């Protein structure tokens, strides 16, 4: 029997008020995404998802920023995630367990953090946080 989870597979966000908090916020989003995937991948090990991407973006709401992280298939992202979101693609077919293993790697974490900071800098500063 096939059981595909609805999109997005992961959807977490966190508010913050200063750029000094950005790195901690991104690390928190990543940790929460890993936790969420680990709770699902233990059960849904055989389902495969196509053209997955890990999307990160920040919006401003009044005096706060909200950082977002979503893991979704591209067809969902095209109509549900802001066009300026940056993403790390997962090429080919992936199970939740393989995605979980991948996003725990140091290299993947570094790329995610850079994308999160780059999106913030491009959108809310003149090119530098200093």
């Amino acid at each position: 029997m096939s059981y595909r989870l609805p999109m997005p597979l992961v959807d977490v966000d966190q508010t913050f008020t200063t750029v000094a908090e950005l790195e901690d916020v991104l690390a928190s989003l990543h940790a929460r995404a890993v936790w969420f995937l680990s709770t699902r991948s233990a059960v849904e090990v055989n389902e495969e998802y196509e053209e997955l991407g890990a999307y990160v973006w920040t919006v401003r709401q009044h005096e706060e920023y909200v950082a977002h992280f979503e893991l979704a298939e591209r067809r969902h992202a095209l109509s549900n995630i802001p066009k300026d979101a940056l993403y790390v693609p997962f090429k080919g077919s992936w199970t939740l367990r393989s995605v979980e293993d991948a996003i725990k790697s140091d290299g993947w974490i570094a790329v995610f953090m850079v994308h999160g900071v780059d999106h913030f800098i491009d959108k809310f500063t003149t090119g530098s946080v200093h």
Side-chain angles (χ1 to χ4, degrees):
M1 183 169 139
S2 176
Y3 177 72
R4 290 181 52 80
L5 296 172
M7 292 295 132
L9 296 172
V10 173
D11 181 10
V12 292
D13 60 51
Q14 186 165 331
T15 60
F16 62 104
T17 55
T18 68
V19 70
E21 299 170 87
L22 181 58
E23 188 173 328
D24 289 339
V25 165
L26 293 171
S28 174
L29 290 177
H30 176 264
R32 290 166 47 211
V34 167
W35 176 85
F36 186 82
L37 279 173
S38 71
T39 64
R40 292 301 187 98
S41 68
V43 177
E44 309 298 336
V45 294
N46 295 322
E47 293 302 317
E48 291 190 349
Y49 298 88
E50 300 290 329
E51 294 186 7
L52 283 174
Y55 297 84
V56 61
W57 72 96
T58 303
V59 296
R60 187 170 195 143
Q61 292 182 335
H62 309 292
E63 299 300 315
E64 295 182 318
Y65 299 100
V66 182
H68 295 267
F69 173 91
E70 280 195 18
L71 177 67
E73 289 178 314
R74 186 81 176 139
R75 65 178 177 252
H76 169 85
L78 290 173
S79 60
N80 293 286
I81 294 175
K83 291 182 183 359
D84 67 340
L86 298 179
Y87 79 104
V88 180
F90 292 88
K91 296 182 181 183
S93 297
W94 289 73
T95 64
L96 293 182
R97 183 168 285 161
S98 61
V99 172
E100 178 192 354
D101 290 342
I103 72 170
K104 289 178 179 177
S105 73
D106 290 341
W108 196 94
I109 294 168
V111 169
F112 171 74
M113 297 294 281
V114 167
H115 276 20
V117 170
D118 284 353
H119 185 269
F120 184 89
I121 290 170
D122 290 347
K123 191 167 183 175
F124 298 110
T125 73
T126 58
S128 173
V129 293
H130 302 290

